[in-house]
Amino acid sequence: NAGVTQTPKFQVLKTGQSMTLQCAQDMNHEYMSWYRQDPGMGLRLIHYSVGAGITDQGEVPNGYNVSRSTTEDFPLRLLSAAPSQTSVYFCASRVGRGIYEQYFGPGTRLTVT
Amino acid sequence: AQTVTQSQPEMSVQEAETVTLSCTYDTSENNYYLFWYKQPPSRQMILVIRQEAYKQQNATENRFSVNFQKAAKSFSLKISDSQLGDTAMYFCAFMKQDNNNDMRFGAGTRLTVKP
């Protein structure tokens, strides 16, 4: 199993550009999440999904969209990038209800200039 | 909303010694889970240990153990026989026992193990 994979590893965007961060897992996990990590802060939840076709907002959802058309994939879209979205983004997955251990991807470092 | 506080931004310990990292949390929930994650310079988040709130017995994983005080809402991590490879950021995290997927993290403690 590859676990949780994220692409790209690094990305530089200009203000106003859009892009999609990719996340995939091959463990047949039901739950998936996106977090951002800023300096001096822990990870903060952006959006999450409890199954294909089901998504919900986390703590800091503004400026981001998600969808979950398959169990394996959970892309994160930045519609119009802003410097405040400069961060490291982590995707995570877990088996499902009642199983609380999360597996994290390697992260994507995004810089918005 | 649940909050997690790690009051020690940085700590250091000599190799082979023992160190304790502190974590407190605020919640009105009775059923929840607590975690310690390690983040080495590679940036990968690695689960160190997990504690279910309904269990009175403190969790242990080899050199890692926790002191879980539910009434005090405290969840400290003890690392025994510290090794150079333990150098990393350590994050305390909280998750309610429900159908959501909202895990809350503390700001982290940077631990340096000195030779």
Side-chain angles (χ1 to χ4, degrees):
Chain A
N1 285 351
V4 180
T5 58
Q6 291 183 237
T7 55
K9 284 188 169 46
F10 302 92
Q11 182 71 49
V12 178
L13 290 178
K14 293 190 187 309
T15 298
Q17 287 184 316
S18 62
M19 80 158 296
T20 300
L21 306 185
Q22 301 292 345
C23 174
Q25 52 91 10
D26 61 358
M27 299 174 282
N28 201 32
H29 284 178
E30 198 172 358
Y31 287 19
M32 296 185 75
S33 300
W34 275 103
Y35 294 87
R36 60 178 288 172
Q37 183 179 26
D38 300 305
M41 302 181 72
L43 279 68
R44 291 183 294 166
L45 183 66
I46 303 171
H47 286 285
Y48 67 93
S49 169
V50 297
I54 306 169
T55 63
D56 206 346
Q57 296 181 351
E59 188 181 0
V60 288
N62 293 341
Y64 308 94
N65 275 0
V66 293
S67 60
R68 183 108 178 264
S69 55
T70 68
T71 299
E72 295 79 17
D73 300 299
F74 190 43
L76 178 72
R77 297 184 191 85
L78 283 70
L79 302 177
S80 178
S84 61
Q85 294 178 304
T86 293
S87 190
V88 179
Y89 291 84
F90 287 94
C91 180
S93 73
R94 65 182 175 107
V95 172
R97 188 180 180 89
I99 308 295
Y100 291 87
E101 179 174 344
Q102 291 212 84
Y103 296 82
F104 285 83
T108 294
R109 181 177 293 278
L110 175 68
T111 302
V112 183
T113 60
Chain B
Q2 285 67 231
T3 58
V4 179
T5 302
Q6 294 179 250
S7 58
Q8 305 150 315
E10 294 189 22
M11 294 191 72
S12 64
V13 63
Q14 292 295 132
E15 196 175 7
E17 298 291 308
T18 295
V19 64
T20 298
L21 309 184
S22 301
C23 173
T24 59
Y25 57 95
D26 183 27
T27 185
S28 58
E29 301 289 329
N30 191 47
N31 298 317
Y32 51 87
Y33 292 79
L34 296 162
F35 307 85
W36 279 98
Y37 278 89
K38 170 185 178 181
Q39 187 180 44
S42 67
R43 210 169 63 195
Q44 181 71 47
M45 293 288 286
I46 303 165
L47 179 64
V48 174
I49 200 165
R50 180 187 68 210
Q51 175 78 44
E52 292 87 345
Y54 64 85
K55 290 187 177 179
Q56 291 187 334
Q57 187 171 4
N58 289 326
T60 63
E61 287 288 343
N62 300 315
R63 299 182 294 109
F64 299 88
S65 61
V66 298
N67 183 5
F68 173 48
Q69 302 288 330
K70 191 172 184 180
K73 296 180 183 175
S74 170
F75 182 60
S76 60
L77 174 70
K78 185 171 82 171
I79 306 174
S80 304
D81 185 26
S82 296
Q83 301 176 358
L84 296 178
D86 294 334
T87 292
M89 283 289 290
Y90 287 82
F91 293 96
C92 179
F94 170 101
M95 182 181 280
K96 290 190 300 182
Q97 185 179 329
D98 61 16
N99 194 37
N100 295 332
N101 207 29
D102 189 352
M103 181 175 274
R104 299 294 172 115
F105 288 81
T109 296
R110 183 176 301 279
L111 176 67
T112 302
V113 180
K114 298 179 178 179

